[in-house]
PDB file of all heavy atoms in Angstrom:
ATOM      1  N   MET A  49      53.895  14.586   8.514  1.00 98.00           N
ATOM      2  CA  MET A  49      54.673  13.394   7.974  1.00 98.00           C
ATOM      3  C   MET A  49      53.776  12.454   7.203  1.00 98.00           C
ATOM      4  O   MET A  49      54.039  11.232   7.203  1.00 98.00           O
ATOM      5  CB  MET A  49      55.407  12.713   9.105  1.00 98.00           C
ATOM      6  CG  MET A  49      56.515  13.609   9.624  1.00 98.00           C
ATOM      7  SD  MET A  49      57.480  12.985  11.011  1.00 98.00           S
ATOM      8  CE  MET A  49      58.343  11.613  10.318  1.00 98.00           C
ATOM      9  N   ARG A  52      57.395  12.182   3.992  1.00 98.00           N
ATOM     10  CA  ARG A  52      58.628  12.417   4.811  1.00 98.00           C
ATOM     11  C   ARG A  52      59.802  11.780   4.062  1.00 98.00           C
ATOM     12  O   ARG A  52      59.645  11.151   3.014  1.00 98.00           O
ATOM     13  CB  ARG A  52      58.494  11.923   6.250  1.00 98.00           C
ATOM     14  CG  ARG A  52      57.550  10.820   6.502  1.00 98.00           C
ATOM     15  CD  ARG A  52      57.956   9.530   5.903  1.00 98.00           C
ATOM     16  NE  ARG A  52      59.277   9.186   6.218  1.00 98.00           N
ATOM     17  CZ  ARG A  52      60.077   8.417   5.536  1.00 98.00           C
ATOM     18  NH1 ARG A  52      59.647   7.872   4.401  1.00 98.00           N
ATOM     19  NH2 ARG A  52      61.323   8.134   5.894  1.00 98.00           N
ATOM     20  N   GLY A  53      61.011  11.943   4.654  1.00 98.00           N
ATOM     21  CA  GLY A  53      62.213  11.545   3.891  1.00 98.00           C
ATOM     22  C   GLY A  53      62.687  12.779   3.118  1.00 98.00           C
ATOM     23  O   GLY A  53      61.899  13.459   2.464  1.00 98.00           O
ATOM     24  N   ALA A  54      63.986  13.064   3.248  1.00 98.00           N
ATOM     25  CA  ALA A  54      64.537  14.331   2.754  1.00 98.00           C
ATOM     26  C   ALA A  54      64.172  14.642   1.295  1.00 98.00           C
ATOM     27  O   ALA A  54      63.636  15.747   0.993  1.00 98.00           O
ATOM     28  CB  ALA A  54      66.030  14.391   2.999  1.00 98.00           C
ATOM     29  N   PRO A  55      64.435  13.753   0.336  1.00 98.00           N
ATOM     30  CA  PRO A  55      64.115  14.152  -1.057  1.00 98.00           C
ATOM     31  C   PRO A  55      62.631  14.323  -1.315  1.00 98.00           C
ATOM     32  O   PRO A  55      62.231  15.236  -2.039  1.00 98.00           O
ATOM     33  CB  PRO A  55      64.673  12.925  -1.871  1.00 98.00           C
ATOM     34  CG  PRO A  55      65.717  12.314  -0.946  1.00 98.00           C
ATOM     35  CD  PRO A  55      65.182  12.472   0.388  1.00 98.00           C
ATOM     36  N   ARG A  89      59.857  21.695   8.343  1.00 97.00           N
ATOM     37  CA  ARG A  89      60.748  20.768   9.042  1.00 97.00           C
ATOM     38  C   ARG A  89      62.177  21.292   8.923  1.00 97.00           C
ATOM     39  O   ARG A  89      62.593  21.703   7.798  1.00 97.00           O
ATOM     40  CB  ARG A  89      60.655  19.333   8.458  1.00 97.00           C
ATOM     41  CG  ARG A  89      59.273  18.714   8.747  1.00 97.00           C
ATOM     42  CD  ARG A  89      59.245  17.211   8.531  1.00 97.00           C
ATOM     43  NE  ARG A  89      60.027  16.494   9.525  1.00 97.00           N
ATOM     44  CZ  ARG A  89      60.335  15.205   9.422  1.00 97.00           C
ATOM     45  NH1 ARG A  89      59.940  14.519   8.350  1.00 97.00           N
ATOM     46  NH2 ARG A  89      61.040  14.600  10.361  1.00 97.00           N
ATOM     47  N   CYS A 163      65.609   3.494   9.765  1.00 98.00           N
ATOM     48  CA  CYS A 163      64.562   4.384   9.328  1.00 98.00           C
ATOM     49  C   CYS A 163      64.065   3.947   7.935  1.00 98.00           C
ATOM     50  O   CYS A 163      64.166   2.749   7.600  1.00 98.00           O
ATOM     51  CB  CYS A 163      65.045   5.826   9.288  1.00 98.00           C
ATOM     52  SG  CYS A 163      63.719   7.068   9.093  1.00 98.00           S
ATOM     53  N   ALA A 169      60.697   7.492   0.623  1.00 98.00           N
ATOM     54  CA  ALA A 169      61.350   8.700   1.102  1.00 98.00           C
ATOM     55  C   ALA A 169      61.870   9.607   0.009  1.00 98.00           C
ATOM     56  O   ALA A 169      62.375  10.676   0.220  1.00 98.00           O
ATOM     57  CB  ALA A 169      62.520   8.330   2.026  1.00 98.00           C
ATOM     58  N   THR A 175      67.234   5.972  -1.569  1.00 98.00           N
ATOM     59  CA  THR A 175      68.677   6.181  -1.580  1.00 98.00           C
ATOM     60  C   THR A 175      69.325   4.920  -1.019  1.00 98.00           C
ATOM     61  O   THR A 175      69.953   4.139  -1.762  1.00 98.00           O
ATOM     62  CB  THR A 175      69.076   7.442  -0.778  1.00 98.00           C
ATOM     63  OG1 THR A 175      68.574   7.339   0.538  1.00 98.00           O
ATOM     64  CG2 THR A 175      68.549   8.708  -1.454  1.00 98.00           C
ATOM     65  N   GLN A 202      59.389   4.182  11.198  1.00 98.00           N
ATOM     66  CA  GLN A 202      59.458   4.210   9.750  1.00 98.00           C
ATOM     67  C   GLN A 202      59.995   2.877   9.214  1.00 98.00           C
ATOM     68  O   GLN A 202      59.701   2.521   8.070  1.00 98.00           O
ATOM     69  CB  GLN A 202      60.352   5.354   9.309  1.00 98.00           C
ATOM     70  CG  GLN A 202      59.786   6.729   9.462  1.00 98.00           C
ATOM     71  CD  GLN A 202      60.181   7.370  10.784  1.00 98.00           C
ATOM     72  OE1 GLN A 202      60.400   6.707  11.778  1.00 98.00           O
ATOM     73  NE2 GLN A 202      60.266   8.682  10.798  1.00 98.00           N
ATOM     74  N   THR A 242      70.362   9.998   4.642  1.00 98.00           N
ATOM     75  CA  THR A 242      70.712  11.184   5.374  1.00 98.00           C
ATOM     76  C   THR A 242      69.806  12.347   5.046  1.00 98.00           C
ATOM     77  O   THR A 242      69.325  12.455   3.940  1.00 98.00           O
ATOM     78  CB  THR A 242      72.204  11.616   5.158  1.00 98.00           C
ATOM     79  OG1 THR A 242      72.408  12.983   5.692  1.00 98.00           O
ATOM     80  CG2 THR A 242      72.570  11.594   3.691  1.00 98.00           C
ATOM     81  N   ASP A 243      69.586  13.154   6.030  1.00 98.00           N
ATOM     82  CA  ASP A 243      68.749  14.382   5.867  1.00 98.00           C
ATOM     83  C   ASP A 243      69.616  15.632   5.578  1.00 98.00           C
ATOM     84  O   ASP A 243      69.175  16.576   5.001  1.00 98.00           O
ATOM     85  CB  ASP A 243      67.911  14.636   7.088  1.00 98.00           C
ATOM     86  CG  ASP A 243      66.905  13.535   7.221  1.00 98.00           C
ATOM     87  OD1 ASP A 243      67.227  12.477   7.758  1.00 98.00           O
ATOM     88  OD2 ASP A 243      65.800  13.708   6.745  1.00 98.00           O
ATOM     89  N   ASN A 253      71.055  11.959  10.316  1.00 98.00           N
ATOM     90  CA  ASN A 253      70.008  11.026   9.878  1.00 98.00           C
ATOM     91  C   ASN A 253      69.152  10.718  11.072  1.00 98.00           C
ATOM     92  O   ASN A 253      69.399  11.133  12.206  1.00 98.00           O
ATOM     93  CB  ASN A 253      70.668   9.770   9.288  1.00 98.00           C
ATOM     94  CG  ASN A 253      69.645   8.903   8.565  1.00 98.00           C
ATOM     95  OD1 ASN A 253      68.842   9.398   7.758  1.00 98.00           O
ATOM     96  ND2 ASN A 253      69.591   7.607   8.826  1.00 98.00           N
ATOM     97  N   LYS A 254      68.141   9.882  10.866  1.00 98.00           N
ATOM     98  CA  LYS A 254      67.171   9.569  11.914  1.00 98.00           C
ATOM     99  C   LYS A 254      67.881   9.125  13.206  1.00 98.00           C
ATOM    100  O   LYS A 254      68.854   8.444  13.211  1.00 98.00           O
ATOM    101  CB  LYS A 254      66.276   8.426  11.392  1.00 98.00           C
ATOM    102  CG  LYS A 254      65.183   7.975  12.311  1.00 98.00           C
ATOM    103  CD  LYS A 254      64.277   9.071  12.813  1.00 98.00           C
ATOM    104  CE  LYS A 254      63.659   9.891  11.680  1.00 98.00           C
ATOM    105  NZ  LYS A 254      63.055  11.126  12.155  1.00 98.00           N
TER     106      LYS A 254
HETATM  107  O1  MRU B 401      61.663  11.888   9.937  1.00 82.15           O
HETATM  108  P1  MRU B 401      61.802  11.317   8.556  1.00 82.15           P
HETATM  109  O2  MRU B 401      60.955  10.069   8.376  1.00 82.15           O
HETATM  110  O3  MRU B 401      61.574  12.302   7.477  1.00 82.15           O
HETATM  111  O4  MRU B 401      63.323  10.870   8.497  1.00 82.15           O
HETATM  112  C1  MRU B 401      63.806  10.261   7.330  1.00 82.15           C
HETATM  113  C2  MRU B 401      65.203   9.895   7.407  1.00 82.15           C
HETATM  114  O5  MRU B 401      65.889  10.054   8.387  1.00 82.15           O
HETATM  115  C3  MRU B 401      65.832   9.310   6.142  1.00 82.15           C
HETATM  116  O6  MRU B 401      66.784   8.359   6.467  1.00 82.15           O
HETATM  117  C4  MRU B 401      66.465  10.453   5.351  1.00 82.15           C
HETATM  118  O7  MRU B 401      65.528  11.461   5.147  1.00 82.15           O
HETATM  119  C5  MRU B 401      66.978   9.978   4.033  1.00 82.15           C
HETATM  120  S1  MRU B 401      65.622   9.654   2.917  1.00 82.15           S
HETATM  121  C6  MRU B 401      66.239   9.132   1.388  1.00 82.15           C
END
Side-chain angles (χ1 to χ4, degrees):
M49 294 177 66
R52 28 63 54 204
R89 293 195 69 191
C163 194
T175 57
Q202 288 93 331
T242 167
D243 293 82
N253 192 48
K254 181 53 56 193

